[in-house]
Amino acid sequence: MRADGSATVKQLDGQDFDFDRQWRMSGTGTWELTDRPMGWSDGQHVSLSVTRRTSSAWREPADAADEAAVDGDFREPAPDSYTWTLELERRKKGLALYFFYSDPDNRNTYYLEKTR
């Protein structure tokens, strides 16, 4: 994510139930800080939109239950475009960005890391 509002992602998994489809996406797009209500929490969020997918891959199943959930013969690639809603967490060394994956009621968190 750059100061000019542009963004690049590499092998980022889908959010919420899309995570269970096991696709990963790389691409370019934009981001913006927003305070639009998201239903589950108030405050500011980052909207990260990939508007141009450059590649798509599949994540290896973590266990037999994951493998059974998605039959390899029926996998679909990542969508051509996709938008994540990222939460912000204040830490001693700055802000951490994350989103929820799989069943939103479980509140599993997926933290993003910046590559250099």
Side-chain angles (χ1 to χ4, degrees):
M1 295 171 40
R2 293 177 209 67
D4 67 358
S6 64
T8 302
V9 300
K10 184 175 179 182
Q11 300 300 310
L12 189 57
D13 295 312
Q15 183 171 354
D16 296 330
F17 286 116
D18 288 335
F19 180 85
D20 298 333
R21 296 181 180 180
Q22 297 179 334
W23 55 256
R24 288 185 161 168
M25 173 190 279
S26 296
T28 59
T30 61
W31 70 273
E32 70 173 331
L33 185 63
T34 179
D35 58 359
R36 289 188 297 266
M38 294 296 162
W40 62 88
S41 66
D42 294 328
Q44 293 185 314
H45 307 276
V46 172
S47 178
L48 172 63
S49 296
V50 169
T51 54
R52 188 175 146 265
R53 185 187 74 197
T54 56
S55 70
S56 178
W58 287 276
R59 183 179 74 255
E60 291 299 318
D63 56 31
D66 282 347
E67 194 167 341
V70 177
D71 187 334
D73 294 336
F74 298 102
R75 288 188 191 182
E76 294 181 17
D80 291 333
S81 61
Y82 193 81
T83 299
W84 290 262
T85 299
L86 306 178
E87 303 290 329
L88 296 99
E89 179 180 304
R90 187 170 305 279
R91 293 184 171 177
K92 290 180 182 180
K93 293 184 178 183
L95 292 175
L97 298 173
Y98 67 95
F99 61 84
F100 297 111
Y101 69 90
S102 203
D103 185 340
D105 291 335
N106 292 336
R107 311 298 276 176
N108 298 315
T109 53
Y110 183 116
Y111 284 87
L112 280 68
E113 295 181 2
K114 181 180 178 179
T115 59
R116 303 200 188 273

